[in-house]
Amino acid sequence: MVYNFSAGPATIYKEVLKHVQKELLDYKGIGYSLLEASHRGKQYDRVHNNAVALLKQHMSLGDDYSVIFQGGGATLQFAMLAYNFLTDGIKGQYVHTGAWAEAAIISANKVCSTTNGSVEIIYDGKDRGYTTLPDPSQLEVDSNSRFVHITSNETIGGLQWKELPEVGSVALAADMSSDIFSRRLDFNKFDFIYAGAQKNLGTAGATVVIIKNSFLEKANENLPPSLSYKMQVSKNSLLNTPPIFAVWMLEQVFSHMNTIGGLEKIEKYNHEKAALLYDHIDSSNGFYSCPVDVRYRSTMNVVFRLPHSELDATFVDEANMSNLIGLKGHRSVGGCRASIYNAMSIEGVEYLIDFMRKFKRKY
Ligand code: PMP
C-alpha cells in the first residue's frame, strides 16, 4: 500500500478508480468504452449533465449559476477571467497571497496590456513571506472594480482562507483549485469560481468553472469562441470536444461524495486529518515546524520544515522507502509538504505521523 501525498495530480478515491476500471472497456453494456463514444452522443450527454447537476447539488446552487468544464487547467482561467471581464478601463482587484495568486496576477496583467483593462493588487503578503492572510473585513474594495479575486487555498504556501472576504456589491472570484469541496461554504456568495480537477475532483484535464449568470452578462463578447464564457455556456461546454475522461471522473467523484455523506462529512474528516498532523508538528519540540499563521493553516496542504534543510532530502527519501510519496515541498519554497486532500485517509495520515515520529528519533 502506497500513501500518496502529492499536491496534484493527487490521490483519488479507490472506489472511484475501481468503478471506472470496471466500466472502462464496456460502458454500461453498450459494447464499447465511453472513451470511444461521441461527445455528442447520448451516453456522454448523460454523464456530462449528471456531473453538472451533482456539482450544483453539492454547492446548493440554483438556476442563477452556469457550470462549464474546460481544458487548459486553472492556468487558462487566469487569462480567460481577464479576457472576459477586464477590458476598456475596467479594473480587477487581486489579493496576492502567494505563488498561485501571483500566477493569476501575471496572466491578468499580460491580458490587460492588450485589452486596456487593469489589475490592482489590494493586498500583498510579501513582507510576511506569504505566511498569513489579510483580515477579511479590511480589504480596500473599490465598488467600481469588476471583481475581487482570491485564491481560497495557496497550494504551495499551505495557506487557506477561513472566512470569506467582505467585498460588498463587488463580485467575488476565487481560484478554488486546491480546496474545492473540502468544506462547506456559502457558494452563493461567489460570482465566479474555478478549479482544476486533479486535486479533490478526480483527474487532470478538466477545469470546473462556475459563473453566476448576472456576472456572465457583463462578459466581453468580442472574443474568439474558445475564450468566451458566453459562448462556452451557450454551448454547454460542447463548443469543441470536451475532456471526456476527466468529466466522467468528475461525475464519479461527485456521486461518490454522496455515498460518503456529502460535504458535511468530508469537512469533518478533513478537519480531523489536519488536526492530527498539525498537532504532531506542534508537539515535536521544534523538530518539525510549520511557518504558516496558525489561523490560516490549510486543511489540504500541510507544509512543514525540518531542523536543517539538509535533512529535507533524507526525509523525502526515507519516506519513499516507507511507501509515503509526494512529500517534497514545492521547488520554489523547499521543505516538505503533505497534501491531504479529500481522498487521503486518516490511516494514511496516521501512518505518516508514525513515520515522522521514527524519523525524529533517528535524527
Ligand atoms: N491554482 C492553484 C491554487 C493550484 O494549486 C494550481 C495547480 N497546482 C493551479 C492554479 C494551476 O492549475 P493547472 O495546473 O490545472 O493549470
Side-chain angles (χ1 to χ4, degrees), residues 74-332:
T75 303
L76 179 63
Q77 299 310 312
F78 298 155
M80 275 183 74
L81 179 63
Y83 271 122
N84 279 267
F85 295 103
L86 303 181
T87 53
D88 307 317
I90 297 174
K91 171 170 84 176
Q93 295 188 301
Y94 283 74
V95 185
H96 188 341
T97 48
W100 288 112
E102 180 164 289
I105 290 166
I106 289 172
S107 277
N109 263 321
K110 279 265 177 218
V111 170
C112 286
S113 67
T114 62
T115 59
N116 254 332
S118 68
V119 166
E120 185 189 6
I121 298 172
I122 51 171
Y123 167 85
D124 189 337
K126 191 170 179 202
D127 290 352
R128 307 275 303 270
Y130 299 108
T131 56
T132 190
L133 292 175
D135 181 331
S137 62
Q138 304 275 299
L139 289 176
E140 288 189 22
V141 177
D142 178 348
S143 57
N144 288 319
S145 67
R146 180 61 84 235
F147 58 77
V148 171
H149 179 279
I150 61 164
T151 310
S152 58
N153 185 71
E154 284 284 357
T155 322
I156 294 174
L159 200 56
Q160 184 179 39
W161 288 83
K162 303 298 174 184
E163 276 169 50
L164 300 182
E166 287 164 25
V167 292
S169 60
V170 175
L172 181 58
D175 174 2
M176 267 190 210
S177 292
S178 52
D179 71 343
I180 190 166
F181 289 179
S182 65
R183 55 178 167 171
R184 287 169 298 171
L185 278 179
D186 187 353
F187 295 104
N188 284 281
K189 291 231 161 93
F190 294 86
D191 290 76
F192 188 86
I193 296 171
Y194 59 104
Q198 65 271 24
K199 299 162 199 305
N200 272 339
L201 311 180
T203 187
T207 306
V208 163
V209 182
I210 299 139
I211 316 176
K212 195 168 190 172
N213 294 334
S214 52
F215 185 60
L216 179 65
E217 274 169 26
K218 299 177 183 140
N220 180 8
E221 299 195 338
N222 192 19
L223 284 171
S226 57
L227 295 181
S228 159
Y229 287 130
K230 279 191 174 161
M231 184 60 88
Q232 294 285 356
V233 166
S234 76
K235 300 285 182 191
N236 192 25
S237 318
L238 296 185
L239 175 75
N240 65 325
T241 320
I244 58 173
F245 199 169
V247 174
W248 183 22
M249 289 291 287
L250 290 177
E251 187 215 19
Q252 293 304 311
V253 170
F254 296 158
S255 101
H256 182 69
M257 285 169 58
N258 275 332
T259 67
I260 58 172
L263 281 189
E264 190 179 341
K265 284 275 163 54
I266 290 171
E267 177 178 356
K268 195 164 163 277
Y269 197 63
N270 285 334
H271 273 290
E272 266 177 65
K273 287 186 288 181
L276 279 174
L277 198 44
Y278 284 119
D279 285 351
H280 184 71
I281 291 167
D282 291 341
S283 59
S284 69
N285 292 325
F287 186 83
Y288 299 107
S289 60
C290 171
V292 180
D293 185 336
V294 184
R295 294 171 298 166
Y296 304 119
R297 286 174 170 184
S298 168
T299 57
M300 297 281 96
N301 310 99
V302 178
V303 299
F304 56 95
R305 294 186 182 144
L306 293 149
H308 333 279
S309 55
E310 304 87 71
L311 262 187
D312 291 349
T314 316
F315 181 89
V316 170
D317 287 347
E318 293 195 13
N320 278 343
M321 285 188 279
S322 297
N323 290 331
L324 296 161
I325 66 163
L327 288 162
K328 192 171 185 299
H330 191 268
R331 57 191 181 281
S332 60

Side-chain angles (χ1 to χ4, degrees), residues 46-102:
R46 201 199 52 77
V47 167
H48 189 107
N49 290 327
N50 195 31
V52 172
L54 287 167
L55 177 136
K56 281 187 145 186
Q57 175 227 310
H58 285 302
M59 300 178 104
S60 303
L61 296 179
D63 292 340
D64 48 339
Y65 282 86
S66 299
V67 176
I68 52 176
F69 302 137
Q70 297 246 268
T75 303
L76 179 63
Q77 299 310 312
F78 298 155
M80 275 183 74
L81 179 63
Y83 271 122
N84 279 267
F85 295 103
L86 303 181
T87 53
D88 307 317
I90 297 174
K91 171 170 84 176
Q93 295 188 301
Y94 283 74
V95 185
H96 188 341
T97 48
W100 288 112
E102 180 164 289

